[in-house]
Every structure is written in C-alpha cells, then in structure tokens.
Amino acid sequence: MRHRFTITTVAIALGAFCVSTAAQAESIVLPCDEFIKNLDGSWTAKRDVPVYGLGRKLTLRQGGALAPGAAILSVDFAALLEQQCPSIPVTVPGSEPEPVPVPAVEPAVALSKYADVNGNIDIQKMTCGQFSNTSPAEADFLGALYIGWYNGLAKKIAINLTRAKDVIHNLVVYCKANKDKRVTQAIDGIRKEERR
C-alpha cells in the first residue's frame, strides 16, 4: 500500500512539473537571428543564447545542435524555433559568409581625457579624430548623444533604433576618414548625403 502511494505521489509530481514546464515554454521568446536552421531540421546557436522564462538559468551553447523532438528541461527548442522563426531559411553547410578578419585596433583614448576641469566635454568642438579614438562603447554613447541633440533641435520625439545604429556606424566610418573635421560638421555632411 505504501509503495503504491509513493508511486502515485511521484507520478502526480512529475505530471505537474511537465505541465508547468510546458506552460513556461510558451513564455520563452528566442532571438531568431541568433540561430541557423540546418538541412536536417535541427537548429544551431550562432553564439551562447541565454534562455529566460523557465524559472532557472539556461544557456543554449554556441554550436550546439537542437534536434526536433529532443527536449531540454522538457522543452523542444527545435519545435519552438520552428514556431517562432518560420522565415529563417535553411542554411546549406559552407554557404555561410566567411568571417571577416578584424584588423588590429589602436588602444582607445578615454573620453574623460577630453573633459575640462569641471568634467564637461564641449561636443560642438569635438573633432572626428577625438571621436574616432574613443572606445566603441564610448563612440556609441557619443553617437546617441549627438542623435538626441539633433532630434531635440528638430523637435522630434522618437528614435528609430535601427536607423540610429546605422547613423552611428556611418559617423564612425566618416570620422576615421576625416579626422580634422568637427563631429558636428561630419553629422551635417552625413545628413546632407542622406537627403540626396
């Protein structure tokens, strides 16, 4: 009798766990652009992808294959990706673009080097040379600052994130080629080119 009670209790607990895990799986949102769909229907992570919504920490590792029907913590991630990412094409091995070698990067100059004694940076006087010598994170920060400044001048109250990233990238490229110009001149030049 006691044995039957134990088996029943374990079965109920496992059933409840599976139901709660299946319900949690519905709340998982995976970044489609971080996975490759393979010919065999499996999916491969391009980088380590953290998964949220399972009530515990889980990371799908870079290069790890997620086969249809195979479950991790009772979640079929291949089926979930198939459902959430139907527009991702199948990738034929060898068709991925070759990684572009990254050139050696000069050491970045700390943004604080350009500050006055009060800690302020005159962004109207900042040159492209100074801008392009900062770290990528600080260049992104400054680019966002400049975009916000120009949007404020134009009385715009919204920002298009994709476009903002493109503008910042274009600004970095322009400034690396025109280090003697001020950043405000570079932005004006880029904006004029975009209007054409």
Side-chain angles (χ1 to χ4, degrees), residues 17-32:
F17 175 75
C18 291
V19 169
S20 70
T21 305
Q24 287 176 335
E26 293 175 12
S27 68
I28 297 171
V29 178
L30 297 171
C32 296

Side-chain angles (χ1 to χ4, degrees), residues 11-85:
I12 291 171
L14 284 174
F17 175 75
C18 291
V19 169
S20 70
T21 305
Q24 287 176 335
E26 293 175 12
S27 68
I28 297 171
V29 178
L30 297 171
C32 296
D33 59 332
E34 296 299 337
F35 293 91
I36 296 171
K37 186 174 182 180
N38 302 312
L39 286 172
D40 63 358
S42 66
W43 293 76
T44 303
K46 294 182 193 178
R47 64 170 182 86
D48 287 356
V49 179
V51 177
Y52 305 99
L54 285 173
R56 62 180 290 180
K57 185 177 179 179
L58 174 67
T59 300
L60 300 175
R61 296 287 175 205
Q62 177 181 358
L66 302 168
I72 300 172
L73 295 176
S74 301
V75 177
D76 184 344
F77 283 96
L80 195 58
L81 282 161
E82 196 68 41
Q83 176 188 7
Q84 292 180 8
C85 312

Side-chain angles (χ1 to χ4, degrees), residues 13 32 35 58 93 120 130 136 140 152 160 171 174-176 180 195:
C32 296
F35 293 91
L58 174 67
N120 299 319
Q130 293 169 322
D140 287 345
N160 180 316
L171 181 60
Y174 184 92
C175 278
K176 285 185 179 183
D180 59 320
R195 288 183 192 144

